[in-house]
């Protein structure tokens, strides 16, 4: 992608969309198979399965917070602990869902680890799409801000988990530091490639002047 010297809103918006899309695609490729292999099956199925979009978009999944609330029927109606139809039990009441509604710690760490890996991939995405070191911080913070807005809207709750915020801060900081270093190194290498050409031209001009003398 070529560098743009002026203000180009279309380019900036397309880069933001591209970064957000690539980040979520990376998570979508990592999270489901790892959850299927290592997460507790019963609890995972109760939350909607490994392919549930909430595994990525709901901050409570990473934080280890329950995503379900007490259902109507608890309290004075504890005797109604099952759902029956045609003389057969077809569902469980809240008091019998305790095992499934419990938090799977392994699932939390898998999602957090996948987020860190996706943030590492963001380093390459920023290096390839954004290119300029001074814009890396802006795009990394924009990606984080958009995710915070989406996850708050999806879960209908502002993230309050220290673990969640720690993962966000560490991953974003690492992305910014390494992406800026890679972009700066590339600009320095490009500058060094251009420099010998001018030196060569200068030496040729000096040689021609000496021969004329």
């Amino acid at each position: 992608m070529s560098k743009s010297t002026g203000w180009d809103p279309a380019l900036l918006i397309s880069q933001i969309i591209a970064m957000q899309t690539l980040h979520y695609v990376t998570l979508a490729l990592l999270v489901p198979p790892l959850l299927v292999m290592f997460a507790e099956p019963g609890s995972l199925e109760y939350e909607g399965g490994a392919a549930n979009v909430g595994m990525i978009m709901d901050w409570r999944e990473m934080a280890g917070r329950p995503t379900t609330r007490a259902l109507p029927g608890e309290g004075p109606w504890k005797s109604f602990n099952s759902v029956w139809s045609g003389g057969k039990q077809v569902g469980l009441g809240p008091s019998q869902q305790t095992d499934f509604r419990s938090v799977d710690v392994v699932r939390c760490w898998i999602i957090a680890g996948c987020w860190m890996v996706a943030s590492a991939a963001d380093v390459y995405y920023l290096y390839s799409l954004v290119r300029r070191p001074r814009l890396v911080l802006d795009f990394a913070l924009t990606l984080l801000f958009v995710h915070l807005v989406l996850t708050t809207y999806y879960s209908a709750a502002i993230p309050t988990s220290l673990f969640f915020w720690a993962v966000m801060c560490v991953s974003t900081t690492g992305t910014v530091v390494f992406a800026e270093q890679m972009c700066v190194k590339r600009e320095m290498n490009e500058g060094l490639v251009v420099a010998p050409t001018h030196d060569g031209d200068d030496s040729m001009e000096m040689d021609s002047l000496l021969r004329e003398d």
Side-chain angles (χ1 to χ4, degrees):
M1 183 174 294
S2 61
K3 295 181 181 179
S4 177
T5 57
W7 170 255
D8 191 346
L11 176 61
L12 292 176
I13 293 174
S14 63
Q15 287 175 324
I16 292 172
I17 294 175
M19 284 296 305
Q20 209 75 29
T21 302
L22 289 171
H23 181 79
Y24 287 134
V25 167
T26 304
L27 286 173
L29 293 174
L30 293 173
V31 173
L34 291 177
L35 289 179
V36 169
M37 288 187 292
F38 300 108
E40 200 280 315
S43 177
L44 181 63
E45 188 65 24
Y46 182 80
E47 292 291 344
N52 181 15
V53 68
M55 297 298 164
I56 296 174
M57 299 307 301
D58 195 335
W59 64 268
R60 295 171 298 183
E61 294 289 354
M62 181 189 297
R65 302 281 181 84
T67 59
T68 57
R69 296 177 174 87
L71 300 176
E74 294 183 339
W77 303 100
K78 290 182 179 180
S79 58
F80 297 96
N81 288 324
S82 302
V83 179
W84 296 79
S85 177
K88 296 182 180 180
Q89 186 179 14
V90 297
L92 300 177
S95 63
Q96 294 176 314
Q97 293 175 350
T98 304
D99 294 337
F100 296 127
R101 294 170 65 180
S102 61
V103 175
D104 182 11
V105 179
V106 175
R107 185 171 72 236
C108 304
W109 282 103
I110 290 174
I111 296 174
C114 290
W115 184 274
M116 298 294 289
V117 174
S119 297
D122 290 339
V123 173
Y124 176 76
Y125 302 150
L126 289 168
Y127 175 81
S128 302
L129 297 177
V130 178
R131 301 182 65 86
R132 286 183 286 181
R134 65 185 182 84
L135 296 180
V136 168
L137 177 62
D138 296 336
F139 276 87
L141 293 180
T142 300
L143 188 150
L144 175 60
F145 175 76
V146 171
H147 179 71
L148 291 176
V149 172
L150 293 177
T151 191
T152 301
Y153 175 79
Y154 183 89
S155 61
I158 298 175
T160 57
S161 168
L162 292 178
F163 178 74
F164 172 83
W165 283 108
V167 172
M168 295 296 106
C169 292
V170 171
S171 60
T172 302
T173 301
T175 299
V176 171
V177 170
F178 288 105
E180 283 187 348
Q181 287 182 350
M182 291 179 63
C183 292
V184 169
K185 184 176 180 181
R186 175 176 53 199
E187 289 192 347
M188 293 179 63
N189 290 335
E190 290 175 352
L192 291 175
V193 170
V194 175
T197 303
H198 295 292
D199 294 341
D201 294 340
D202 294 340
S203 62
M204 291 178 63
E205 291 178 359
M206 290 296 296
D207 291 340
S208 62
L209 292 174
L210 290 175
R211 289 175 183 175
E212 290 178 358
D213 295 339

